Amino acid sequence: MSRTLFIADLHLCQEEPAITAGFLRFLQRETPGADALYILGDLFEAWIGDDDPDPLHQQIAAALRALPLPVYFIHGNRDFLLGKRYARASGMTLLPEEQVLDLYGKRLLIMHGDTLCTDDEGYQRFRRKVHQRWLQRLFLALPLRLRQRIALRMRDSSKDANSQKSASIMDVNAQAVIDAMQRRRVQWLIHGHTHRPAVHTLTANGQPAQRLVLGAWHSAGSMIEVTPAGVNLIHFPF
Ligand code: LP5
Ligand code: MN
């Protein structure tokens, strides 16, 4: 049967080998026979440049490249610097931050989800800054060790900032969701980022609509499967 798979927020890193093992097993088990795999950001815990010699990156690139189906990638807020070189090495196609898909007769909007968190003004300011092309070029030109130190500092500041923020500020803004779905004329939205896996029903374009949120891969896997029969959020052990 036709099926297309979506995942996000794996936050792969050396320190969490169980998640990497779970991901590699997921690829082996789920991708044969599927039409495509979409990775909606934060595949990696932090990305400081395609030239990072981290062996985990090579291992993941080799696993992705060997897959029998097309793999698409939308950047997350941790791996927005993942570039063309790594895309080529892993065989992934980089997509823009929002993409509309036509799947088995349904129009679906996919994105990482951070842009929907418009109540989090501190984050949106930070995002606008680090998405400036010139600043990214400057950062990528720094020595690797310095980039590692800066990323670590950013992670620490982010953890500090998050501990001061309410849970609702760090969730999506309801109007931002409706606006995005109306702008793209879709009744289906799939995203990650908030780590709050759920299927939400709402009204957009004057009609019933659904927003599916992928879970983070902390202690179990999370994926969405779209088939001609429907859209399912599925959790599974590593
Ligand atoms: O990531 P998470 O889950 O902790 O929180 C996110 C938002 N935070 C971020 C920041 C990332 O964690 C940092 C990733 C760094 C890796 C790449 C480095 C590349 C650098 C490139 C430079 C061009 O995304 C967090 C949200 C939360 O999601 C929920 O939506 O709230 O937002 C913040 O925490 C933003 C803060 O409000 C302010 C940002 C503090 C960073 C300050 C930078 C200081 C840098 C010092 C450098 C010398
Ligand atoms: Mn994220």
Side-chain angles (χ1 to χ4, degrees):
M1 192 187 43
S2 302
R3 58 200 289 260
T4 298
L5 309 175
F6 299 82
I7 55 172
D9 300 295
L10 288 84
H11 295 268
L12 298 176
C13 59
Q14 301 266 13
E15 292 72 29
E16 300 281 358
I19 302 178
T20 300
F23 178 50
L24 296 174
R25 227 167 289 135
F26 159 83
L27 292 177
Q28 275 179 2
R29 198 179 52 231
E30 300 293 342
T31 60
D35 293 332
L37 170 64
Y38 288 83
I39 303 174
L40 305 186
D42 290 358
L43 173 61
F44 293 101
E45 173 72 357
W47 195 267
I48 56 169
D50 292 4
D51 58 336
D52 186 344
D54 187 336
L56 173 69
H57 300 174
Q58 310 316 314
Q59 186 191 4
I60 297 301
L64 290 170
R65 203 175 45 230
L67 294 178
L69 80 183
V71 181
Y72 300 93
F73 181 81
I74 292 183
H75 293 103
N77 58 300
R78 303 289 192 86
D79 49 17
F80 57 92
L81 287 179
L82 193 148
K84 292 199 185 102
R85 175 169 154 194
Y86 191 75
R88 218 173 302 124
S90 56
M92 295 195 290
T93 302
L94 300 180
L95 296 179
E97 63 184 45
E98 288 188 3
Q99 179 80 34
V100 176
L101 304 178
D102 229 312
L103 284 183
Y104 322 118
K106 278 192 182 67
R107 261 171 76 81
L108 294 105
L109 174 60
I110 56 171
M111 61 177 76
H112 179 55
D114 56 329
T115 51
L116 298 171
C117 301
T118 53
D119 294 330
D120 194 343
E121 289 167 9
Y123 171 66
Q124 295 302 335
R125 262 196 311 275
F126 169 77
R127 187 180 193 279
R128 277 195 296 276
K129 269 191 210 126
V130 299
H131 275 258
Q132 299 177 96
R133 203 53 209 141
W134 69 268
L135 189 62
Q136 296 187 354
R137 285 219 187 87
L138 187 76
F139 178 81
L140 291 171
L142 297 173
L144 200 71
R145 292 292 296 275
L146 185 53
R147 277 181 273 159
Q148 278 161 342
R149 288 228 302 275
I150 293 172
L152 215 59
R153 280 270 282 282
M154 285 183 173
R155 291 290 309 119
D156 284 343
S157 315
S158 181
K159 283 179 206 155
D160 274 359
N162 289 0
S163 66
Q164 311 289 326
K165 291 177 194 172
S166 71
S168 70
I169 278 184
M170 289 192 288
D171 202 353
V172 299
N173 173 285
Q175 193 57 47
V177 168
I178 294 172
D179 289 347
M181 296 181 83
Q182 302 198 149
R183 193 162 17 91
R184 301 291 185 164
R185 301 187 321 280
V186 296
Q187 304 309 116
W188 295 89
L189 168 62
I190 297 179
H191 70 83
H193 180 66
T194 60
H195 301 189
R196 299 175 207 210
V199 179
H200 298 275
T201 53
L202 64 147
T203 302
N205 304 293
Q207 286 173 34
Q210 295 211 38
R211 173 172 73 93
L212 287 97
V213 188
L214 286 157
W217 290 42
H218 291 309
S219 50
S222 177
M223 70 162 172
I224 287 169
E225 173 195 70
V226 179
T227 72
V231 182
N232 308 303
L233 172 63
I234 300 166
H235 289 102
F236 50 91
F238 282 153

